[in-house]
Amino acid sequence: MDTQYTVGQYLTERLEQLGLKHLFSIAGDYTIEWINKHIEPSSIELVEEVNELNAGYATDGYARLNGIGAMCFTYSAGTLSAVNAVAASYAERVPVVVINGAPSIKKRLTAQQTGFIYHHMIDGETDLNIYKNITAAAVKLDAPELAPQLIDYALTQCISQKRPAYIELLEDMVQQPCSPPIGKLEPLKAIPSDEGLTQSIETIKQALEKAERPIIWLGAEVDRMGLHEQANALIRKLNLPYVTELISKAVFSENDPLFAGVFDGQASSDVTQTLVKESDFILGLGVWLSDINTLGQSVDYDKTALIAWDTVKLGTYFVPQVPLGNFIDELTNQSITCAPPCAIPESTQAQPQSFSGNISYQGFYDFIQSKEYIGDNVLIGSDASLNFFGSLLLKVGTPRGFVAQPTYSSIGYIGPAATGMSLAKQDHQRVFIFTGDGGFQMTPQCLSTQTRFGLNPIIFVMDNGVYGVEQWLYDAEIFSSDQPFFDSCILHQWDYCKLADVFGCKGWQVNTYEELNEAILGALENAETPSLIQVKVPPKSIPDNAKWKKK
């Protein structure tokens, strides 16, 4: 054994090898030694966050663009504060690593045998037991000889399943000697059923050739599993129109002539709904079904093939152990004669709008689109709010240029996620995010971290004074009636733009389109700090594509 090599060094080097460039962390006495002796001298930049929930969301936003993210907290009081963020990463299959600095073996034994409790401790096993439920792998490093195998196991599961991994690093293990890394970690290769793959390819091939109006439905698994090139090759080969989910919006540039919109039930554009309704076969690649991704509309399973979660399903036809990547590659290699691609219905040409006066929710998004502020160098982020509806119809030209959390839908996510997005983006790109005021009240300290590190996202806070999406989900009729909002959905009013003074960045409050335009131009010029634009809209103003819901 190389006695010069340590457990802390091993973990750091493995994270570097996987492409980690930033570590989101909160100071803690159980983590300081690893941070000081191994992270600070490494190529990984430490991003000191303000609380664990924000750090977790930032890590998630970072990992979606970078391919992996990591966070480091102290035991229980720190790590348990991040549970909601990590649960979201698990639900949406985002590869993040949780490093939990933990009490030493001596402290654990003392607590167990005498009842003397050290700070942050409950019973010494609480954190591990909780994180086992929301990670692909959860390990405790309490023996240096086993540390390399346990670290490699956890990180390999993380990059293979694209789900969180939890590594409990006891404070007295950091400087313990261990063997150095051997080789590089690679995702585990799926083991397909050759018979199942052959059968399913033949079934889907026949359905494609029989269909008169086939289309493709691209889901989030294409992005999570890094299948962009393969999926794109299949689309070009079949030459078929394709739609995406909200969770997979802009997986490819939406300037693609074959792109036919985001299909999200009744929130979709009329063009997209018509195309899906009139199609007689839908090839769903990596689609994950959820109520938010199929708003108000059930899927026709008899005409929709769903290839995801290592299975192929079409009506009552079901074949397991067929990974999406293997399926796409094999289908691409087939000789397939599809019907000529059906024409994408033309959208009704909107009348030129004259933007003046007070801002409406729909008018805000129409204005943003008409002014062409969403260029091909812009990344968009949307919080779980009425902004899901408005941003769904924005045209995003940047491949992989849209970040949202529609499956888990934890409000308050996108503000701190913008921190991670801003660190993982390319230098020429700019981050725009859209959040509701209720969500922003949960995580406004993101402005502090963004200002501290010189990040420049533009944050639009839609200020309508209510938890609009919660009211909409339970009873949307209130938005079109004289009925009052539920008391539980009414917010305490903040002067959001003044938070910019608190955190040292720039802020604007806008009531009219003229003020909005001036604020956006000012924000675009501000390259040194985040820009917060508080957009005042009437409480009962909602996007047009949210008006279909009655109750």
Side-chain angles (χ1 to χ4, degrees):
M1 179 181 292
D2 184 352
T3 56
Q4 301 304 308
Y5 214 90
T6 66
V7 172
Q9 185 180 358
Y10 190 102
L11 176 57
T12 303
E13 185 168 319
R14 280 306 199 199
L15 291 171
E16 287 179 306
Q17 289 176 354
L18 291 177
L20 188 75
K21 301 178 182 65
H22 299 85
L23 174 70
F24 299 88
S25 181
I26 306 291
D29 57 335
Y30 294 144
T31 65
I32 282 177
E33 185 170 25
W34 181 60
I35 294 292
N36 288 353
K37 291 186 176 179
H38 297 288
I39 293 298
E40 292 285 8
S42 76
S43 64
I44 300 172
E45 180 181 357
L46 187 67
V47 181
E48 297 91 347
E49 264 288 0
V50 292
N51 63 55
E52 289 81 7
L53 181 62
N54 279 30
Y57 287 151
T59 305
D60 182 291
Y62 179 87
R64 290 179 191 235
L65 300 181
N66 185 64
I68 193 166
M71 61 193 95
C72 176
F73 311 125
T74 200
Y75 200 69
S76 284
T79 309
L80 297 187
S81 295
V83 164
N84 187 58
V86 178
S89 298
Y90 184 85
E92 302 226 342
R93 295 190 76 153
V94 181
V96 301
V97 183
V98 183
I99 295 104
N100 186 8
S104 66
I105 294 174
K106 178 180 178 181
K107 290 176 181 177
R108 288 168 185 260
L109 289 173
T110 301
Q112 291 167 5
Q113 300 300 321
T114 70
F116 184 91
I117 301 298
Y118 291 87
H119 64 284
H120 301 336
M121 286 186 67
I122 301 173
D123 63 8
E125 299 297 328
T126 304
D127 293 26
L128 182 67
N129 289 334
I130 288 174
Y131 271 89
K132 283 179 180 178
N133 297 286
I134 53 173
T135 58
V139 301
K140 178 171 63 176
L141 307 184
D142 57 0
E145 297 86 355
L146 293 177
Q149 296 96 309
L150 291 173
I151 291 169
D152 286 359
Y153 165 72
L155 295 180
T156 299
Q157 289 297 319
C158 178
I159 63 176
S160 299
Q161 296 189 38
K162 309 300 181 183
R163 276 185 158 151
Y166 169 88
I167 299 175
E168 194 165 296
L169 177 62
L170 274 63
E171 59 181 332
D172 55 341
M173 290 294 110
V174 174
Q175 292 302 98
Q176 289 292 321
C178 70
S179 58
I182 299 174
K184 292 188 177 181
L185 301 182
E186 299 288 347
L188 300 172
K189 293 183 179 179
I191 303 175
S193 162
D194 292 338
E195 181 181 0
L197 179 60
T198 301
Q199 286 181 0
S200 59
I201 288 293
E202 186 59 31
T203 298
I204 300 306
K205 178 181 175 181
Q206 289 179 13
L208 279 168
E209 293 185 331
K210 180 181 177 182
E212 296 180 357
R213 299 178 64 83
I215 64 171
I216 295 173
W217 190 10
L218 288 182
E221 200 165 310
V222 170
D223 182 64
R224 298 294 192 274
M225 298 304 176
L227 301 173
H228 307 87
E229 290 185 11
Q230 295 96 309
N232 186 57
L234 179 60
I235 289 172
R236 303 309 144 191
K237 175 186 177 72
L238 299 178
N239 194 32
L240 294 176
Y242 70 90
V243 297
T244 63
E245 301 179 274
L246 178 59
I247 194 173
S248 57
K249 177 178 169 64
V251 64
F252 300 137
S253 170
E254 294 184 343
N255 295 325
D256 189 335
L258 290 176
F259 174 66
V262 177
F263 179 58
D264 198 9
Q266 295 189 55
S268 315
S269 69
D270 291 342
V271 167
T272 303
Q273 289 191 57
T274 298
L275 184 73
V276 172
K277 182 179 180 180
E278 294 181 353
S279 172
D280 55 355
F281 180 69
I282 301 172
L283 177 59
L285 300 175
V287 170
W288 299 339
L289 298 179
S290 72
D291 55 347
I292 302 299
N293 279 318
T294 56
L295 281 168
Q297 201 168 62
S298 59
V299 174
D300 187 341
Y301 294 102
D302 289 331
K303 73 172 187 179
T304 305
L306 295 170
I307 297 89
W309 306 106
D310 292 346
T311 62
V312 176
K313 293 167 281 188
L314 174 59
T316 59
Y317 180 80
F318 172 83
V319 178
Q321 208 173 339
V322 181
L324 179 61
N326 297 74
F327 179 89
I328 291 175
D329 288 343
E330 186 61 29
L331 190 62
T332 303
N333 291 332
Q334 297 290 311
S335 175
I336 301 175
T337 304
C338 288
C342 55
I344 298 173
E346 293 187 7
S347 58
T348 304
Q349 291 295 322
Q351 296 296 320
Q353 289 182 260
S354 176
F355 295 99
S356 63
N358 293 332
I359 301 168
S360 68
Y361 226 120
Q362 182 62 45
F364 168 81
Y365 277 98
D366 290 341
F367 181 84
I368 291 287
Q369 189 77 76
S370 69
K371 292 293 185 178
E372 300 183 352
Y373 286 125
I374 312 300
D376 291 350
N377 63 337
V378 172
L379 304 178
I380 296 295
S382 178
D383 210 30
S385 60
L386 293 172
N387 289 289
F388 271 177
F389 296 98
S391 61
L392 184 151
L393 299 180
L394 285 177
K395 189 173 185 180
V396 179
T398 306
R400 306 185 71 234
F402 182 80
V403 171
Q405 194 197 66
T407 301
Y408 194 73
S409 286
S410 184
I411 67 173
Y413 160 78
I414 201 61
T419 305
M421 293 169 65
S422 297
L423 289 166
K425 71 175 180 61
Q426 298 177 33
D427 290 341
H428 68 280
Q429 294 176 329
R430 195 75 183 267
V431 174
F432 284 28
I433 67 164
F434 306 103
T435 178
D437 45 356
F440 191 73
Q441 285 194 9
M442 293 186 172
T443 52
Q445 309 95 321
C446 63
L447 293 171
S448 176
T449 306
Q450 291 160 6
T451 301
R452 179 179 183 177
F453 287 89
L455 309 178
N456 60 7
I458 299 176
I459 301 172
F460 295 90
V461 179
M462 303 302 289
D463 178 11
N464 58 7
V466 295
Y467 285 120
V469 73
E470 306 300 339
Q471 176 70 73
W472 182 90
L473 285 167
Y474 182 77
D475 184 359
E477 288 183 349
I478 286 179
F479 288 96
S480 58
S481 72
D482 294 331
Q483 299 177 62
F485 289 103
F486 299 138
D487 289 345
S488 60
C489 291
I490 297 174
L491 296 168
H492 175 62
Q493 182 62 50
W494 289 12
D495 286 329
Y496 298 94
C497 66
K498 291 184 179 179
L499 291 174
D501 295 332
V502 173
F503 294 116
C505 51
K506 293 189 176 182
W508 294 260
Q509 181 185 115
V510 300
N511 295 274
T512 67
Y513 294 103
E514 293 80 6
E515 293 172 348
L516 175 60
N517 192 60
E518 183 178 345
I520 294 174
L521 293 176
L524 289 171
E525 291 180 359
N526 176 30
E528 307 303 323
T529 72
S531 297
L532 187 151
I533 302 177
Q534 177 184 358
V535 183
K536 300 285 286 186
V537 293
K540 291 196 174 182
S541 177
I542 62 176
D544 288 349
N545 60 334
K547 293 178 179 178
W548 56 269
K549 188 174 184 289
K550 300 304 179 185
K551 176 63 179 173

